[in-house]
Amino acid sequence: MRSSRALWVVSLVLVAVVAAGGAAAQAPTVKIGYIPSDSFAALYIMADRYLTPAGITVQMVRLPGGAEITSQVATGQLQVGGSGMGAAGFNAVAAKLPIEFIAPLHFGFLEDYFTVRKAAWGTEIKRVGDLKGRPVGLNTRGAAVEWMLDQVLRRDGLTIKDVQVKIMPFPDMVPALESGAIDAGIITEPFPTLAEDKGVGVRPLTKPAGAKAIPITAAFWNAEWAKGNADLAHKVMVAYLRAVRDLAADGGRGWTEDRNVELMTKYAVTKRELVKKARPHVADPNLELDASTLDSMQKLNAELGYLKYTEFLTADRLFTFTYRDRAVKELGRR
Amino acid sequence: MTAVAVPLGLLALWEVLARLAVLSPRYFPPPSRVGAVLVESFAEGDLGGETLVTLTRLALAFALATVPAVPLGLLMGMARPVRAAMEPYIAVLFPVPKIALLPFLLILLGVGEPAFVLTGAISAFFQIIISTLAGVQTMDPRLLDVGRNYGAHGVRLFRTVILPAALPAIFTGLRLGLGLALVTIVAVEFIAAKSGLGHLVYRHWQTLSTPQMYGAFALVGALGLLLTRGLRAVQARTLVWQEDPGRL
Amino acid sequence: MLVLGWEAAVAAGLLREAFFPRPSTVLVHARRLIADGTLLGHAGPTLVRIAWAFSLAAGLGVTVGLAMGLWRRLREGLDPVFAVVYPIPSILFLPLVSFVVPRGEAALVLTTAVTSFFLIAFTTTEGVRQIDPLVVEAARHYGARGRRLFTAVLLPGALPYIFTGLRLGLGYALIVVVAVEIVNASRGLGALLWLSWQVLKVEDMYATFFVIAALGAVLSYGLAALRTHLLPWAQDVADR
């Protein structure tokens, strides 16, 4: 019967496409998804300095945002990824997708991210509250940056719903500040430094003494891949730990060390001097994080209607720390 | 002569108004500036590369759509069970904005060329298959009788009677399909891609680099015009017996 | 049949449920979204935008189309402008429109209206031009002039084409409004679809998609049915 045959062909094609997606995951390469920014430095160092020389083939895949990286790791198109902690990740874990958060990636201070248009600061905008109704740049929705903006706004009585959010990639925020397309943004290094250099942006908030850095991004991988390649996964974890320690070395001076800056320049595609001038991020040499931020993030995400579950995930539920623990044990605590 | 007069006149008006700052030069830079930036971007920047990216996606999408669409359309026209099986799906999916499929393709295929090209291909596919089917269905049934009378059957009937009769409609379908593929791909680039002309328009819009934005915009328009007019000329030339290939 | 196959495949574990939720799950989800008002809250703005855009495009389009059909000078003057602007993907007009009209609903509606306007104007012009000159001749013979000629001969003669144009225009309006909402709106079916993707609320993605698809079907076939009702004498003018 011709009609059913035509249908079978169509169905087979569909299955083949899906299978091809799955088959790609079985290849021996470790594909790592990243967003081009300094925050992902640990991934760059892990790949170039510790995995490749050990004979592990690595493919760095540049993607625009956390949702893309999260979904591609969940489907197995990528093995490892990093992203700001946000709804996509939370929902993926809640939906029991094969994605495991394994460790924090970087920490930072809101004050280092919050950048205001220089031309407007001191005139139209004298305080955070003056941003009401104005355009503010974020690189994506439902991710850590949205929470960070909300946190900054709350300090002066506003919430994220009070501003006009404009989504654009980090590099684009610098010319956007210049032209006035946005009045402020949550921008990751080295771009705020670039904005300051060019005289188009200013970071008006100062860190209170003794402030603790907040976990912003996290690293994750495909759980099925990790289970099926336990040895390889462990090697990746150890390499990751080493990379993070390279950055956290010397009280955080690793962030401006030449050999690390080299790699940041390579992947984040920015100038070396800029990276060295940039305010350093923070990394934890034992890959530990304070869980209270996670609650706050989930709360905002729930308020904005991004979460598909109601009971918040605890750190233990969200992260799978067994690999980290094993790696820390092997290399010893710092 | 009048064909170019009006557009040129409008451009001249724009130039004057922009220079006089009646039109804000930041939002509406004078065409001369846009032109200069355009040339510069081609010569020194990689506008050429971006254009190529869009064209490549378009070519792939079009090929991907045409190869299954034409045979399937013909098959649907000639074999009733095939048409009966496929018609419901086509009827349901045709009016759906294909851009709505993008997020699903992004999940399935990841953010990259396959998803972009496939979205464009799906757009064109439906148009081509429907036009092809129409070509077979609306052909003069007497042609079939005549053909059969002269002893043509099966493949021969197909090759010498059915296919030529349906060709004008198929060609129109291809032309419309190409246009649709371009529209879809540029839209997809605007929304989700990091390269291509559509993305350039988006990026320059977000950063308010207006001369570059208009440049990319004009390029897309030129591309669309060239393709549709070009294909129409080809159609008129190769299918000489058809009266009017249609102005769209 | 596809639906059943899908349901079975997910149940059998062939398709990963988190990315390919069962149709039954999607249905339940859709019902919940309707119940808590989310779906309607987003469908509303989309429908309103389409309504405005289509009214604008139809009103202006038919008027300009008729004018172009009747006055050759006008047609020759506007034709090149149309030819250049028409092939441009509608979504690219959003930046331009947003420069002229402040951000917000107006910009979205205008952008949605652009291509539909051209489509409707164009088919209307064709509709007028293809009227058999003999018919017009005959009508003039019987004393029909000016407005009478228009309402009794020209308009009915062009109506099938106009209707096809309206139908295409409406379909296009939906396509553009979804794209525009993805880019620039916080409410609307397109916005909901894209946001659900960004936060990986997969069931919502599917539910929204089906609503969009249903809308497309209703608009397309609804108008076709209306045409059969109002213009039963007209053959279906094949999409050109």
Side-chain angles (χ1 to χ4, degrees):
Chain A
M1 269 196 47
R2 275 165 127 185
S3 54
S4 58
R5 198 188 302 165
L7 213 57
W8 271 116
V9 172
V10 173
S11 319
L12 277 171
V13 170
L14 205 67
V15 172
V17 170
V18 176
Q26 257 83 59
T29 316
V30 178
K31 294 202 197 134
I32 306 177
Y34 72 98
I35 305 171
S37 126
D38 290 357
S39 347
F40 288 69
L43 290 180
Y44 312 149
I45 297 173
M46 172 185 83
D48 275 27
R49 190 174 300 154
Y50 295 110
L51 288 179
T52 311
I56 298 172
T57 329
V58 168
Q59 191 187 335
M60 300 292 284
V61 178
R62 185 203 293 199
L63 288 168
E68 287 85 351
I69 302 181
T70 308
S71 80
Q72 292 196 230
V73 169
T75 49
Q77 287 149 347
L78 298 171
Q79 281 72 52
V80 179
S83 98
M85 294 194 283
F90 300 149
N91 282 333
V93 171
K96 301 201 171 55
L97 282 171
I99 184 172
E100 286 176 327
F101 280 80
I102 50 173
L105 183 51
H106 95 288
F107 299 62
F109 298 94
L110 297 176
E111 296 83 358
D112 290 342
Y113 281 75
F114 179 67
T115 316
V116 180
R117 183 159 68 99
K118 181 141 185 228
W121 184 250
T123 51
E124 304 153 52
I125 304 176
K126 298 199 180 68
R127 46 189 297 173
V128 172
D130 290 339
L131 281 175
K132 187 167 181 162
R134 288 176 168 267
V136 179
L138 290 181
N139 84 315
T140 184
R141 298 207 94 104
V145 290
E146 201 168 13
W147 175 83
M148 290 165 76
L149 178 59
D150 186 71
Q151 291 289 300
V152 170
L153 292 170
R154 276 177 201 268
R155 291 183 186 180
D156 208 14
L158 297 179
T159 68
I160 195 162
K161 299 193 182 159
D162 295 317
V163 297
Q164 208 193 100
V165 170
K166 291 183 63 169
I167 308 291
M168 62 181 74
F170 290 126
D172 293 354
M173 291 191 201
V174 179
L177 283 172
E178 183 173 13
S179 65
I182 54 175
D183 281 327
I186 296 291
I187 320 182
T188 189
E189 289 287 17
F191 302 105
T193 305
L194 179 61
E196 286 172 339
D197 256 15
K198 286 183 146 202
V200 303
V202 61
R203 283 180 276 192
L205 302 177
T206 41
K207 287 176 249 205
K212 254 183 76 181
I214 325 174
I216 298 171
T217 54
F220 47 84
W221 62 30
N222 182 287
E224 284 165 4
W225 167 82
K227 204 185 298 178
N229 297 276
D231 248 7
L232 183 56
H234 176 65
K235 289 197 175 96
V236 169
M237 191 75 237
V238 172
Y240 181 78
L241 182 55
R242 288 210 159 98
V244 169
R245 286 183 170 179
D246 280 356
L247 290 167
D250 260 350
R253 259 178 286 270
W255 287 94
T256 43
E257 208 184 294
D258 270 339
R259 58 173 193 155
N260 297 331
V261 171
E262 185 92 40
L263 290 176
M264 288 186 237
T265 319
K266 175 180 171 190
Y267 286 105
V269 193
T270 43
K271 296 199 178 61
R272 169 171 309 153
E273 311 76 45
L274 205 57
V275 176
K276 293 200 92 162
K277 256 208 269 182
R279 298 192 197 175
H281 297 296
V282 177
D284 188 287
N286 293 307
L287 300 180
E288 287 169 354
L289 87 160
D290 177 3
S292 58
T293 320
L294 291 176
D295 284 338
S296 176
M297 285 181 176
Q298 289 182 80
K299 184 151 177 283
L300 178 67
N301 277 292
E303 271 172 38
L304 294 174
Y306 293 159
L307 298 182
K308 59 197 237 178
Y309 55 92
T310 42
E311 220 178 278
F312 289 172
L313 302 168
T314 56
D316 298 301
R317 175 82 176 74
L318 188 58
F319 280 83
T320 308
F321 284 129
T322 43
Y323 298 92
R324 171 199 71 176
D325 292 341
R326 189 171 152 209
V328 171
K329 197 155 177 212
E330 184 169 304
L331 297 186
R333 263 187 80 89
R334 283 276 177 89
Chain B
M1 207 55 241
T2 35
V4 277
V6 174
L8 278 181
L10 288 173
L11 280 177
L13 187 64
W14 176 352
E15 178 88 26
V16 169
L17 290 177
R19 284 185 189 267
L20 290 178
V22 170
L23 279 177
S24 155
R26 185 213 267 186
Y27 291 114
F28 297 99
S32 51
R33 177 114 196 276
V34 175
V37 167
L38 201 58
V39 170
E40 195 187 308
S41 309
F42 258 116
E44 287 160 42
D46 49 23
L47 190 53
E50 301 282 4
T51 313
L52 207 59
V53 167
T54 303
L55 282 173
T56 315
R57 288 177 181 147
L58 182 61
L60 285 172
F62 186 64
L64 206 59
T66 309
V67 167
V70 173
L72 274 175
L74 290 168
L75 205 60
M76 279 176 72
M78 298 186 299
R80 191 166 304 155
V82 176
R83 189 171 83 238
M86 295 198 62
E87 211 153 44
Y89 295 106
I90 294 184
V92 163
L93 289 174
F94 180 62
V96 176
K98 306 303 176 295
I99 196 97
L101 290 170
L102 186 59
F104 301 96
L105 289 177
L106 290 178
I107 289 183
L108 199 59
L109 302 169
V111 181
E113 300 311 310
F116 305 149
V117 170
L118 200 54
T119 315
I122 294 178
S123 261
F125 175 84
F126 282 100
Q127 177 63 62
I128 298 175
I129 203 174
I130 287 179
S131 292
T132 307
L133 175 61
V136 177
Q137 284 183 316
T138 56
M139 95 183 208
D140 193 339
R142 290 174 296 181
L143 291 171
L144 275 176
D145 291 336
V146 172
R148 287 206 178 100
N149 274 349
Y150 277 87
H153 291 287
V155 176
R156 190 122 176 273
L157 184 70
F158 171 74
R159 200 162 36 86
T160 55
V161 178
I162 298 180
L163 192 56
L167 222 46
I170 295 180
F171 230 104
T172 303
L174 291 179
R175 192 162 43 87
L176 293 174
L178 188 63
L180 266 176
L182 176 64
V183 169
T184 310
I185 286 184
V186 171
V188 165
E189 288 179 347
F190 190 82
I191 291 174
K194 290 286 157 224
S195 58
L197 291 175
H199 168 69
L200 281 185
V201 176
Y202 179 77
R203 195 196 324 150
H204 293 311
W205 175 40
Q206 289 297 307
T207 54
L208 283 189
S209 327
T210 39
Q212 287 85 341
M213 187 192 93
Y214 284 103
F217 185 92
L219 219 49
V220 174
L223 208 62
L225 194 63
L226 268 169
L227 287 173
T228 42
R229 284 297 164 99
L231 264 191
R232 191 136 54 86
V234 172
Q235 181 171 4
R237 217 147 293 191
T238 51
L239 303 178
V240 187
W241 67 87
Q242 191 190 16
E243 275 173 15
D244 178 14
R247 296 217 13 252
L248 278 176
Chain C
M1 218 186 114
L2 194 63
V3 173
L4 289 175
W6 186 305
E7 183 95 27
V10 178
L14 271 177
L15 290 176
R16 190 190 294 283
E17 175 138 29
F19 282 134
F20 296 98
R22 305 180 195 213
S24 47
T25 320
V26 175
L27 212 63
V28 166
H29 218 84
R31 206 171 294 155
R32 197 187 317 153
L33 282 178
I34 296 177
D36 71 14
T38 320
L39 213 46
L40 292 177
H42 285 282
T46 304
L47 287 171
V48 167
R49 285 166 190 147
I50 294 181
W52 275 107
F54 183 64
S55 312
L56 211 62
L60 272 176
V62 172
T63 313
V64 171
L66 286 172
M68 281 174 68
L70 294 171
W71 291 301
R72 192 159 54 99
R73 273 298 184 74
L74 187 64
R75 188 170 66 243
E76 284 176 0
L78 287 183
D79 241 5
V81 178
F82 272 44
V84 168
V85 178
Y86 176 69
I88 296 177
S90 307
I91 190 134
L92 293 188
F93 286 106
L94 185 59
L96 291 187
V97 171
S98 73
F99 290 159
V100 177
V101 171
R103 290 284 187 107
E105 289 310 303
L108 298 178
V109 168
L110 276 177
T111 312
T112 310
V114 171
T115 304
S116 301
F117 163 74
F118 283 109
L119 252 172
I120 295 174
F122 181 76
T123 35
T124 305
T125 309
E126 281 300 294
V128 173
R129 292 189 62 205
Q130 58 82 42
I131 295 177
D132 195 337
L134 289 178
V135 174
V136 180
E137 195 63 51
R140 284 217 173 95
H141 233 340
Y142 280 91
R145 295 263 182 283
R147 188 185 303 174
R148 187 113 180 278
L149 183 68
F150 181 73
T151 46
V153 180
L154 296 177
L155 197 54
L159 225 43
Y161 275 80
I162 295 180
F163 234 102
T164 301
L166 289 177
R167 200 169 138 221
L168 289 174
L170 192 56
Y172 249 85
L174 176 64
I175 293 176
V176 180
V177 94
V178 170
V180 156
E181 284 175 349
I182 288 179
V183 174
N184 219 15
S186 46
R187 305 202 71 76
L189 291 174
L192 182 59
L193 179 67
W194 199 249
L195 186 61
S196 310
W197 146 238
Q198 293 279 286
V199 298
L200 284 188
K201 273 172 116 178
V202 181
E203 296 83 6
D204 281 15
M205 277 172 66
Y206 280 90
T208 313
F209 177 80
F210 284 119
V211 173
I212 295 177
L215 194 58
V218 163
L219 290 178
S220 171
Y221 298 118
L223 215 59
L226 194 66
R227 194 257 307 281
T228 334
H229 208 66
L230 293 176
L231 308 173
W233 72 86
Q235 287 177 344
D236 189 345
V237 177
D239 294 2
R240 299 168 91 235

